[in-house]
């Protein structure tokens, strides 16, 4: 074990590299049965290790170079051609997360993330709103399910959103992208419901479900959750109506009449810079199982957020506030997934290739999350009371980002110049062919345009 020795700081800094490697091998061994051939499983192992490496971009080219292969052909075959069960790997991933992070107080969180694209051939791509970019962009949208518990958080399921009018209505286009014939249009809440159903069937332990407005304002999803006796806290727009003694009223109208004592200052969890304090108010409705939860900024009282809460047993305000705070963990998973393991670095166009890359990236992220959980000392020093001074040698626990960096740095062998130069030649040769094709295509379009202008 590597560490500073002695003291609480050393406990937070200890690096059990052999233990990390054993955990990675254990996780990868779980998925072996999902591959028809050992060769494809071994390449998947190399792919996951490449996602955990120091490569700047985690696409087929750089992953192949990172693991010492001469060309990217093998990595591309893994995503496009080899016969293996990506949904089975997803199930193994979910089981791995539950085994290590499972807790009866777990929260399932659904949210979508955008993957920006330049062309029109990638499956599911169209101009649509991307929360990642904060505007309408040419992108794909993936819907994800996160598992968050006191032990940690990780992505456990995924679905690709296939737009109705630009994709589902054009079966020829779907066939070109290898979309299975049985795939039909499904809304984002419907995709989230499918993933929750799989979690229920797998016996995932959780107490709450949380999501943003896209899901909270969908009556079908709410009814399904209630039919399954699943407690939830979901964001809703200010226009959402709630039942009162005087009839349905908008959420913002109900808040307008609240007296000052109705508000309580509570923290919904630790942020990067300390506790996230807000004003909170809980409003009863004519439905015993539904309440309106309101969050108000302490610095800008006009900044309000609304949440619909359902639970068979009436949960206290602090518990509901904690669930709202847990909802943000999915954003942390997206950020770590994209920054650390290349969740969005793929260069694939086909339906199954998207699922394969995303699943293997989620697997790599899950290992980081589990390793971070196991590396966390029993007593941490990452929270401080107001007025406390940070000890000179105090350390926060090892994070997902730091573990990925340390593992890549400590396990990456020194490379000889030969393979580096060979890959440089391969890239430049490929780029030369691409440039020639682009130039030829542009010249051909120019000649056609010139001919059309010169003709009478």
């Amino acid at each position: 074990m590597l560490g500073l020795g002695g003291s609480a700081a050393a406990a937070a800094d200890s690096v059990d590299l052999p233990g990390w490697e054993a955990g990675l091998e254990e996780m990868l061994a779980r998925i072996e049965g999902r591959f028809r051939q050992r060769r494809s499983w071994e390449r998947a192992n190399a792919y996951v290790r490449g996602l955990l490496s120091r490569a700047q971009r985690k696409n087929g080219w750089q992953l192949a170079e990172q693991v010492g292969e001469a060309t990217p052909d093998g990595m591309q075959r893994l995503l496009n051609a080899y016969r293996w069960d990506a949904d089975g790997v997803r199930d193994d991933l979910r089981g791995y997360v539950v085994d290590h992070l499972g807790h009866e107080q777990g929260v399932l969180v659904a949210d979508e993330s955008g993957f920006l694209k330049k062309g029109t051939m990638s499956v599911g791509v169209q101009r649509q709103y991307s929360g990642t970019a904060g505007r309408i962009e040419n992108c794909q949208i993936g819907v994800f399910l996160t598992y968050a518990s006191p032990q940690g958080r990780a992505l456990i399921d995924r679905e690709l959103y296939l737009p109705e009018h630009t994709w589902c209505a054009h079966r020829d286009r779907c066939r070109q992208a290898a979309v299975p014939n049985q795939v039909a249009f499904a809304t984002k809440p419907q995709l989230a419901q499918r993933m929750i159903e799989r979690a229920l069937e797998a016996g995932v332990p959780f107490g709450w479900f949380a999501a943003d407005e896209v899901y909270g304002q969908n009556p079908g999803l709410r009814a399904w959750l209630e039919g399954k006796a699943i407690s939830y806290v979901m964001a809703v727009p200010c226009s959402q109506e709630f039942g009162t003694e005087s009839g349905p009223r908008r959420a913002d109208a109900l808040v307008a009449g609240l007296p000052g004592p109705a508000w309580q200052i509570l923290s919904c969890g630790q942020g990067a810079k300390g506790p996230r304090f807000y004003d909170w108010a809980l409003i009863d409705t004519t439905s015993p199982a539904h309440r309106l939860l309101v969050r108000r900024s302490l610095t800008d009282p006009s900044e309000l957020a609304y949440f619909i809460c359902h639970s068979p047993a009436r949960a206290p305000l602090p518990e509901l506030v904690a669930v709202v705070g847990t909802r943000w963990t999915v954003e942390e998973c997206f950020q770590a997934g994209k920054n650390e393991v290349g969740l969005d670095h793929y260069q694939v166009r086909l339906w199954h290739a998207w699922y394969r890359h995303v699943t293997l990236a989620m697997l790599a992220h899950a290992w980081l999350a589990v390793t971070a959980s196991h590396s966390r000392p029993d007593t941490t020093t990452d929270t401080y009371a107001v007025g406390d001074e940070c000890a000179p040698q105090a350390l926060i626990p090892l994070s997902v980002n730091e573990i990925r960096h340390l593992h890549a740095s400590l396990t990456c062998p020194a490379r000889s110049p030969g393979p580096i130069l060979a890959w440089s030649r391969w890239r430049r040769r490929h780029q030369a062919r691409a440039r020639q094709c682009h130039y030829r295509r542009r010249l051909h379009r120019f000649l056609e345009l010139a001919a059309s202008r010169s003709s009478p």
Side-chain angles (χ1 to χ4, degrees):
M1 180 174 293
L2 306 175
L4 299 176
S7 79
D13 189 44
S14 58
V15 176
D16 182 13
L17 187 59
W20 292 3
E21 277 293 305
L24 181 57
E25 292 290 343
E26 182 265 327
M27 182 191 71
L28 293 172
R30 286 181 177 237
I31 68 174
E32 182 176 3
R34 307 300 183 177
F35 294 80
R36 296 289 184 91
Q37 297 178 324
R38 184 172 180 83
R39 178 182 60 181
S40 58
W41 173 69
E42 291 174 345
R43 180 149 279 135
N45 289 0
Y47 196 93
V48 172
R49 289 185 175 276
L51 293 172
L52 293 166
S53 72
R54 293 185 292 184
Q56 293 181 349
R57 293 289 299 174
K58 309 298 175 67
N59 54 41
W61 291 17
Q62 294 205 16
L63 293 183
E65 180 181 6
Q66 189 70 33
V67 301
E69 297 186 358
T71 70
D73 297 347
M75 293 300 185
Q76 292 170 350
R77 284 196 298 271
L78 173 69
L79 299 182
N80 292 296
Y82 284 157
R83 301 181 68 183
W84 59 281
D85 183 3
D87 286 345
V89 173
R90 174 208 60 206
D91 294 342
D92 295 334
L93 153 68
R94 183 179 56 227
Y96 172 75
V97 170
V98 169
D99 287 348
H100 292 277
L101 305 181
H103 195 281
E104 61 182 8
Q105 297 177 6
V107 179
L108 294 180
V109 187
D111 200 2
E112 69 272 4
S113 185
F115 301 89
L116 304 185
K117 293 295 173 183
K118 293 182 179 180
T120 60
M121 301 299 292
S122 298
V123 60
V125 70
Q126 72 166 11
R127 286 191 59 79
Q128 54 193 325
Y129 179 78
S130 166
T132 305
R135 58 184 180 273
I136 294 177
E137 284 282 359
N138 193 60
C139 64
Q140 297 166 299
I141 298 292
V143 181
F144 293 84
L145 191 67
T146 296
Y147 184 76
S149 79
Q151 273 69 48
R153 68 288 307 260
L155 302 168
I156 62 169
D157 210 339
R158 74 287 178 264
E159 288 286 358
L160 178 63
Y161 174 71
L162 198 63
E164 181 176 13
H165 300 295
T166 57
W167 278 91
C168 293
H170 300 275
R171 300 315 299 182
D172 288 341
R173 189 182 189 190
C174 288
R175 279 189 288 272
Q176 290 176 359
V179 178
N181 291 331
Q182 66 271 23
V183 173
F185 174 71
T187 65
K188 295 167 188 174
Q190 288 172 333
L191 295 176
Q193 179 178 323
R194 290 179 189 174
M195 295 187 287
I196 301 169
E197 285 178 327
R198 290 196 286 260
L200 288 172
E201 293 172 358
V204 175
F206 69 99
W208 291 89
F209 172 72
D212 64 15
E213 289 185 15
V214 172
Y215 310 89
Q217 63 184 337
N218 185 274
L221 177 60
R222 295 201 308 266
W224 180 84
L225 291 168
E226 293 167 18
K228 296 290 185 179
I230 296 175
S231 301
Y232 62 74
V233 178
M234 293 190 284
V236 292
C238 63
S239 59
Q240 181 72 37
E241 292 188 339
F242 291 82
T244 69
E245 295 294 341
S246 59
R249 297 187 64 189
R250 287 169 50 115
D252 52 2
L254 290 173
V255 174
L258 285 178
W263 297 93
Q264 296 184 45
I265 298 178
L266 294 171
S267 169
C268 57
Q270 293 288 335
K273 298 181 181 180
R276 298 190 294 255
F277 285 108
Y278 292 92
D279 263 332
W280 300 87
L282 189 58
I283 304 173
D284 289 330
T285 70
T286 52
S287 169
H290 296 94
R291 289 179 289 174
L292 169 62
L293 176 65
V294 187
R295 186 187 71 208
R296 185 174 69 180
S297 170
L298 294 176
T299 57
D300 182 4
S302 65
E303 185 180 306
L304 300 170
Y306 307 89
F307 305 87
I308 184 171
C309 307
H310 164 81
S311 57
R314 291 171 66 86
L317 176 60
E319 183 176 356
L320 298 175
V321 169
V323 176
V324 173
T326 304
R327 187 173 65 91
W328 289 329
T329 59
V330 68
E331 298 298 339
E332 298 175 6
C333 290
F334 287 154
Q335 183 178 20
K338 293 180 178 182
N339 292 345
E340 303 303 326
V341 296
L343 182 67
D344 61 341
H345 291 187
Y346 57 86
Q347 294 177 331
V348 298
R349 293 179 174 178
L350 304 182
W351 173 269
H352 60 276
W354 184 90
Y355 277 91
R356 288 178 170 188
H357 169 84
V358 168
T359 303
L360 292 177
M362 289 167 53
L363 192 69
H365 175 261
W367 175 77
L368 291 173
V370 169
T371 304
S373 176
H374 291 173
S375 301
R376 189 179 302 123
D378 294 334
T379 302
T380 63
T381 57
D382 60 342
T383 59
Y384 303 93
V386 176
D388 282 356
E389 292 186 3
C390 184
Q393 296 184 359
L395 299 171
I396 66 170
L398 288 167
S399 64
V400 164
N401 301 16
E402 186 64 20
I403 287 174
R404 206 280 309 164
H405 174 77
L406 285 172
H407 180 264
S409 299
L410 295 172
T411 59
C412 182
R415 300 173 61 197
S416 62
I420 296 175
L421 295 175
W423 267 99
S424 174
R425 289 192 293 270
W426 189 95
R427 282 192 298 270
R428 287 181 288 143
R429 184 167 58 250
H430 181 90
Q431 290 162 357
R433 288 198 298 267
R435 182 171 63 179
Q436 184 180 18
C437 291
H438 292 320
Y439 282 12
R440 186 184 300 117
R441 189 179 300 114
R442 178 168 293 184
L443 178 60
H444 181 68
R445 288 200 300 265
F446 172 76
L447 293 175
E448 287 182 337
L449 178 61
S452 65
R453 288 185 176 181
S454 61
S455 61

